[in-house]
Amino acid sequence: MLKKIKDLLNSFLIGVGFGSTVYLLFIAFGVEHEPTMFNIFSVLLISGLIGIFSLIFDVVEWSYLSTLFIHFLGTFSLVMLMIWINDWPVWQEFISFSLNFVGIYLIIWFIVKLKLSASVNSVNQRLRERNERHKQR
């Protein structure tokens, strides 16, 4: 039970990290002009929920592409909810927004895949070192 809570909290915080970074970039590039406290907290909360939703990759036994597609749709739905809650005017430029969303999703996906690959390589390296130590005995 404690591990599940830890996984949920960790996933929530990872989502907050990605979401707040994207939101800060939006502010830096003038996409968001006057952030309010409500905007900030909604971004943090929904980003955290997206992080938790990412646990779908650990829970579901479907193919990777099916799970990725479901995650994409869920993430897009949560972002649309955030846009609606904050009354952000993206509806007039929905196609442009959607293309930007896909681009940001792919960038974050690539970063996550790089981090995962680095973690796997690190574990494999430690296993090789351990096996070498055992061979030397």
Side-chain angles (χ1 to χ4, degrees):
M1 180 67 158
L2 190 58
K3 182 178 177 352
K4 289 181 183 182
I5 293 171
K6 183 180 174 186
D7 289 345
L8 285 172
L9 183 60
N10 189 41
S11 296
F12 185 88
L13 293 175
I14 290 170
V16 166
F18 279 114
S20 58
T21 299
V22 170
Y23 189 60
L24 285 172
L25 289 172
F26 280 7
I27 292 169
F29 289 108
V31 176
E32 172 71 305
H33 299 288
E34 296 179 26
T36 66
M37 190 180 307
F38 183 81
N39 295 147
I40 293 167
F41 283 120
S42 71
V43 167
L44 295 176
L45 176 64
I46 292 181
S47 297
L49 293 176
I50 292 169
I52 289 173
F53 188 62
S54 297
L55 289 172
I56 191 173
F57 291 102
D58 298 335
V59 176
V60 175
E61 301 277 332
W62 301 333
S63 72
Y64 180 75
L65 282 179
S66 297
T67 308
L68 185 64
F69 182 70
I70 297 297
H71 182 265
F72 176 85
L73 290 178
T75 301
F76 188 78
S77 298
L78 285 167
V79 169
M80 295 307 295
L81 174 66
M82 181 173 53
I83 288 168
W84 178 71
I85 288 171
N86 289 297
D87 197 29
W88 287 332
V90 299
W91 308 113
Q92 297 85 4
E93 301 173 5
F94 187 73
I95 293 173
S96 175
F97 161 77
S98 296
L99 291 174
N100 286 329
F101 175 83
V102 169
I104 292 167
Y105 188 90
L106 290 173
I107 290 168
I108 293 172
W109 175 82
F110 182 71
I111 291 168
V112 169
K113 289 301 270 184
L114 282 177
K115 184 180 180 319
L116 188 61
S117 177
S119 295
V120 168
N121 289 339
S122 174
V123 168
N124 286 339
Q125 179 63 32
R126 284 184 277 178
L127 287 172
R128 279 192 292 275
E129 290 169 0
R130 190 187 92 196
N131 289 338
E132 287 297 318
R133 283 194 305 267
H134 284 293
K135 287 180 183 178
Q136 293 173 356
R137 291 182 183 175

